[in-house]
Amino acid sequence: MGAELLAGRMTAEAEGEVTVFLIGMRINRFRALRSWLPVFRAMPRMLRELSRDGEGGMLGHQVLFGSPRVLYVVQYWDSHERLLEYSVAQDKEHRPAWAAFNRRLREGRGKVGFWHETYVVPAGAHEAVYINMPAFGLGKATGVVPVGRRGDRAADRLSLKRA
């Protein structure tokens, strides 16, 4: 049942810059299906498109659930430029989904909420540990290696230059 566990202490193989994009929705009125269901259905189409496009820049993603009202996706990108390129590409799923969402937002009077946050994380400013976990998060997106290969302590894996 479930994904295969990776025994022991692992860390994400990613060593360069990573862009982390969080995007989600909040169902403000459950009965307002016509307002929030299309928003809910748009994200899987975009994720399938991005996952099929090995050259598009998205390294991987993780779908997460908050309260019963909140759903969100953590996406890992190889650069913020590639994320921004996708967001404005005329031939991709995002543009029509965004236009439809904006129409529903105006008509829906607060029945569905939307949010996103973008973090550009420089090389050396991120680290991860997974202990007896299936592939998850940044490690799922970039691959994992045993912790010892990148340093046994978080301080060893973080290589921020301090002045």
Side-chain angles (χ1 to χ4, degrees), residues 100-115:
F101 172 75
N102 279 310
R103 279 192 305 279
R104 280 191 184 80
L105 189 64
R106 285 190 296 276
E107 298 163 2
R109 294 177 179 78
K111 294 174 185 162
V112 62
F114 166 84
W115 60 274

Side-chain angles (χ1 to χ4, degrees), residues 82-102:
R82 303 270 292 266
L83 169 62
L84 295 173
E85 285 171 16
Y86 177 74
S87 74
V88 298
Q90 297 295 322
D91 61 336
K92 303 292 184 185
E93 289 283 340
H94 178 263
R95 294 292 292 182
W98 183 244
F101 172 75
N102 279 310

Side-chain angles (χ1 to χ4, degrees), residues 38 41-50 52 86 93 97:
R41 287 183 172 163
M43 184 54 72
R45 286 194 308 270
M46 287 183 271
L47 291 172
R48 278 192 302 276
E49 175 181 67
L50 288 162
R52 283 192 302 259
Y86 177 74
E93 289 283 340

Side-chain angles (χ1 to χ4, degrees), residues 20-65:
V20 181
F21 182 62
L22 310 175
I23 184 169
M25 64 177 278
R26 183 180 190 277
I27 301 168
N28 294 331
R29 292 197 193 148
F30 281 109
R31 291 185 175 173
L33 275 159
R34 289 176 38 177
S35 292
W36 64 262
L37 190 59
V39 177
F40 178 79
R41 287 183 172 163
M43 184 54 72
R45 286 194 308 270
M46 287 183 271
L47 291 172
R48 278 192 302 276
E49 175 181 67
L50 288 162
S51 295
R52 283 192 302 259
D53 183 4
E55 302 298 315
M58 188 180 77
L59 301 170
H61 70 278
Q62 193 79 44
V63 177
L64 300 169
F65 297 92

